[in-house]
Each structure stands twice: as C-alpha cells, then as structure tokens.
Amino acid sequence: MNWSAIAAIYRFEMARFFRTLAQSFLSPVLSTSLYFVVFGTAIGSRIQEVEGVSYGAFIVPGLIMLSVVMLAISNASFGIYFPKFLGTIYELLSAPVNFIEIVIGYVGAAATKSLFVGLVILVTATFFVDIRIEHPFAMAAFLTLSCLSFSLLGFIVGIWASNFEQISLVPQLVVTPLIFLGGTFYSISMLPPVWQTITLFNPVVYLISGFRWSFYGLADVPIGFSLLAILVFTGTCLAVIGWIFKTGWRIRS
C-alpha cells in the first residue's frame, strides 16, 4: 500500500476544505439554526412530542443525516470530477498508484469533511434542544459508515458526470427526495398504513431509523435491518468502483 500517495491525495483534498473553513463551518450552523426556527417553531408548536421525545430533539438525527449525506456526495463528486475536467486524472492513472489508494485518498477526505460538518451540527443542536445519546458507539458507527458510503456514491457520481450540471443531478433529483421522504422530520408510524409500506422501499429510511435509534432508542425498522442496509449499500458502491477502474468506464475515454 502506497501510503505516501494516499496522504498526498488526502492532503490536497483537505487543503481545499481548509481554504473555505469559515464557509464550511458557518454554513451548517446557519442551516441547522434555520431548520430549528422553521420546523421547531412552526411544526413543533403543533407536534409537541414524537414517541416520548420532543419534536425538536426528534429531528436532530435526521438533520445530521441530511447534511452529512449531501456534503459527502458533493465533496467526493467534485473531488474526482475536477481531475477529469482538467485532464490531470491521466497523470494520476499513470502514476504508481492503484485504484484502491486513489479511492482511499479521495473518499477519505470527503468522509472527513462530512464527518466534521455532522459533528458541528450535533454541537449546534445542543444550543436549541436537549439531546441524549443512548448508544454513543452505535451513533459513531452509523455516522462514520454514512460518511464513507455516500462519499463512495459521490465518487461514482463524479466519474459518471460529464459536466457540472450532472454532478448536482443525482443529489438534487434522487437523494434529496429520498432523504425528505425517509423520516427526516417525522416517524413513518405517523403515516397511513399503505404509505408506511411504500416508505419501507426507501433505503434512506433504514439509515435515518438506525441513526435515530442510537440517540433515543427509537426505530421505525429493526436496528439489524438498518445496519445490514448500510453495509450492503457500502459494499455495492465498492463493487461498482472496482468495476469502473477495471473497465476504465468514463475514465479513459
């Protein structure tokens, strides 16, 4: 394993993050504050509690997942797309670096950035509501796996995209609706029975449910299903990336 190459890619990607640290720090703080003002005040005044948890505290895991998932995809997709756009990816492919080291460098940096933002949102939320974390190790595991898995997805999106518009296509048209309809701001038990069944086909439900369970011990689906879903998703993304580098799809053309 060429750790020097991994470190070089990782440092290069993190350097972009530190150059805009104020924006990276302030943006999630302001967004989280606005969510609490809008949802916590407007909806929270009508829904006091959800399964014994105050509504403001109930939406915290969903807010963290919303930001983490979107940032992980965005950071990873832009990170690998720019070398394609500039043509420097051929220098990377001709260097003594295998695809595993390339993926670790880019995906590791994207996951680190999104993990940082997730922690910032968690700290910000404590100023608005009382939060308890009943299963801290499970919370850390779900958060880390979410950052890694969606960074892998973002890496795939960045390779697939042929222009800047396509980079935002998947997050905006696919991922964002799935997150908002995946129980971010509500429990699926509040839905009519038929919609509860339909919602279970949304893979994001399992992610948010498992993450919320780590906070309050509440879950819309069994915790084992949530863990299995995120592991299957991560494995699928790894398999797709392996196929991409094996065939050269969208890289060598």
Side-chain angles (χ1 to χ4, degrees):
M1 187 70 72
N2 190 342
W3 295 107
S4 297
I6 294 173
I9 296 172
Y10 182 87
R11 287 196 302 267
F12 179 80
E13 287 299 301
M14 292 302 296
R16 292 193 297 111
F17 176 70
F18 287 118
R19 284 196 297 268
T20 59
L21 186 59
Q23 177 183 347
S24 303
F25 181 81
L26 291 177
S27 179
V29 171
L30 292 175
S31 299
T32 303
S33 301
L34 287 173
Y35 275 119
F36 276 112
V37 170
V38 174
F39 287 91
T41 302
I43 300 179
S45 61
R46 293 169 173 78
I47 305 176
Q48 298 296 326
E49 292 185 348
V50 179
E51 299 184 28
V53 179
S54 68
Y55 183 75
F58 181 84
I59 66 175
V60 169
L63 288 177
I64 295 174
M65 281 293 104
L66 172 63
S67 298
V68 162
V69 166
M70 298 305 295
L71 284 170
I73 295 174
S74 175
N75 287 321
S77 59
F78 274 98
I80 192 61
Y81 177 75
F82 272 113
K84 282 181 53 186
F85 178 74
L86 298 175
T88 56
I89 193 170
Y90 299 109
E91 299 175 2
L92 185 62
L93 293 174
S94 62
V97 183
N98 62 41
F99 83 93
I100 297 176
E101 294 158 353
I102 294 173
V103 172
I104 291 176
Y106 281 106
V107 171
T112 301
K113 298 173 192 177
S114 55
L115 181 62
F116 169 78
V117 171
L119 295 176
V120 168
I121 294 173
L122 178 61
V123 172
T124 303
T126 60
F127 292 98
F128 292 90
V129 293
D130 293 326
I131 300 173
R132 70 176 190 270
I133 303 176
E134 295 186 0
H135 308 281
F137 292 106
M139 186 275 288
F142 269 104
L143 184 59
T144 303
L145 282 172
S146 299
C147 293
L148 287 173
S149 60
F150 282 94
S151 293
L152 290 169
L153 176 61
F155 190 88
I156 295 171
V157 171
I159 292 176
W160 164 78
S162 57
N163 53 56
F164 287 99
E165 288 76 14
Q166 288 184 346
I167 291 179
S168 59
L169 185 66
V170 172
Q172 290 181 357
L173 297 184
V174 179
V175 180
T176 299
L178 289 178
I179 294 175
F180 275 90
L181 296 175
T184 301
F185 300 106
Y186 59 87
S187 170
I188 66 172
S189 62
M190 302 168 66
L191 300 173
V194 64
W195 283 107
Q196 291 185 32
T197 303
I198 294 174
T199 303
L200 291 177
F201 289 95
N202 181 352
V204 179
V205 167
Y206 301 87
L207 174 64
I208 295 176
S209 175
F211 193 56
R212 184 171 285 131
W213 173 85
S214 69
F215 279 77
Y216 312 117
L218 304 174
D220 291 318
V221 295
I223 185 64
F225 288 171
S226 297
L227 183 59
L228 179 62
I230 190 67
L231 290 176
V232 168
F233 179 68
T234 303
T236 302
C237 289
L238 286 171
V240 171
I241 290 174
W243 174 81
I244 287 173
F245 278 93
K246 182 179 180 180
T247 61
W249 180 76
R250 295 272 186 164
I251 294 179
R252 300 194 180 112
S253 59

